[in-house]
């Protein structure tokens, strides 16, 4: 089953706020999806690789949201090392025996980092991430799914 991109909820206030000169925190109201494996197709003698459309649409939607809603990183920090803390809040299935979401945590991380890189307002490239602390969990009943993110620059 292919992951479907979530429709973002319209933010009524600026979601991302700079809490100090070197830190920004924000919530992304998109259902987290793990980064899929590239797909391949052969045309004649040549193979081409691509990412599934649903994933690319999700990544573009998150990047657009970040670009519009989250305060831009000051220019002197755009190339600084970044420490990332992220929590992925995932919609639980109707029935499961698992106490946590199944997709690998590193696949959620890759999706988030690629979307933030695509936004162009957070950092120049995700190679600047030198430390990452991540967790994943099921959303509590009535809780909004999404990604809670904290970025610390220049450490």
């Amino acid at each position: 089953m292919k992951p479907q991109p979530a429709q973002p909820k319209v933010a009524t206030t600026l979601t991302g706020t700079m809490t100090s000169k070197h830190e920004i925190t924000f919530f992304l109201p998109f259902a987290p999806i793990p980064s899929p494996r590239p797909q391949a197709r052969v045309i004649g003698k040549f193979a081409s690789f691509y990412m599934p459309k649903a994933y690319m649409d999700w990544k573009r939607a998150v990047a657009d949201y970040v670009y519009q809603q989250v305060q831009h990183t000051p220019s002197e920090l755009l190339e600084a090392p970044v420490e990332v803390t992220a929590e992925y809040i995932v919609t639980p299935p109707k029935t499961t025996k698992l106490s946590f979401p199944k997709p690998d945590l590193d696949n959620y991380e890759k999706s988030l980092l690629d979307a933030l890189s695509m936004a162009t307002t957070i950092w120049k490239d995700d190679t600047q991430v030198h430390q990452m602390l991540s967790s994943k969990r099921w959303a509590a009943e009535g809780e909004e799914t999404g990604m809670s993110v904290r970025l610390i620059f220049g450490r």
Side-chain angles (χ1 to χ4, degrees):
M1 183 169 120
K2 289 185 178 179
Q4 296 299 314
Q7 294 301 314
K9 294 183 176 143
V10 177
T12 55
T13 60
L14 184 64
T15 306
T17 54
M18 195 65 88
T19 56
S20 73
K21 184 178 178 186
H22 302 290
E23 181 178 322
I24 186 170
T25 59
F26 51 94
F27 181 81
L28 298 171
F30 295 82
I33 65 170
S35 179
R37 295 190 185 279
Q39 306 294 305
R41 82 178 132 225
V42 177
I43 300 173
K45 295 181 181 181
F46 302 98
S48 65
F49 295 90
Y50 63 96
M51 296 302 278
K53 182 179 180 338
Y55 172 70
M56 296 304 293
D57 290 347
W58 178 90
K59 203 163 75 164
R60 172 53 56 206
V62 172
D64 289 347
Y65 181 86
V66 168
Y67 185 82
Q68 294 171 14
Q69 297 294 326
V70 177
Q71 183 174 354
H72 295 218
T73 302
S75 59
E76 70 271 13
L77 297 176
L78 271 176
E79 296 185 40
V82 184
E83 179 181 312
V84 178
T85 303
E87 181 180 39
Y88 305 92
I89 305 162
V90 182
T91 303
K94 293 191 187 292
T95 60
T96 184
K97 293 180 182 181
L98 297 175
S99 58
F100 52 86
K102 187 171 183 170
D104 293 349
L105 188 56
D106 62 318
N107 290 329
Y108 283 125
E109 291 172 342
K110 179 160 179 37
S111 294
L112 174 64
L113 296 180
D114 287 349
L116 292 178
S117 292
M118 188 180 278
T120 71
T121 59
I122 301 294
W123 52 52
K124 293 277 186 186
D125 189 76
D126 60 6
T127 59
Q128 294 166 238
V129 175
H130 70 98
Q131 183 173 343
M132 185 147 190
L133 176 62
S134 298
S135 63
K136 61 181 179 175
R137 66 177 175 83
W138 296 125
E141 189 173 330
E143 182 180 21
E144 183 175 21
T145 60
M147 297 162 281
S148 179
V149 181
R150 177 178 175 222
L151 307 172
I152 301 175
F153 296 87
R155 277 199 180 170

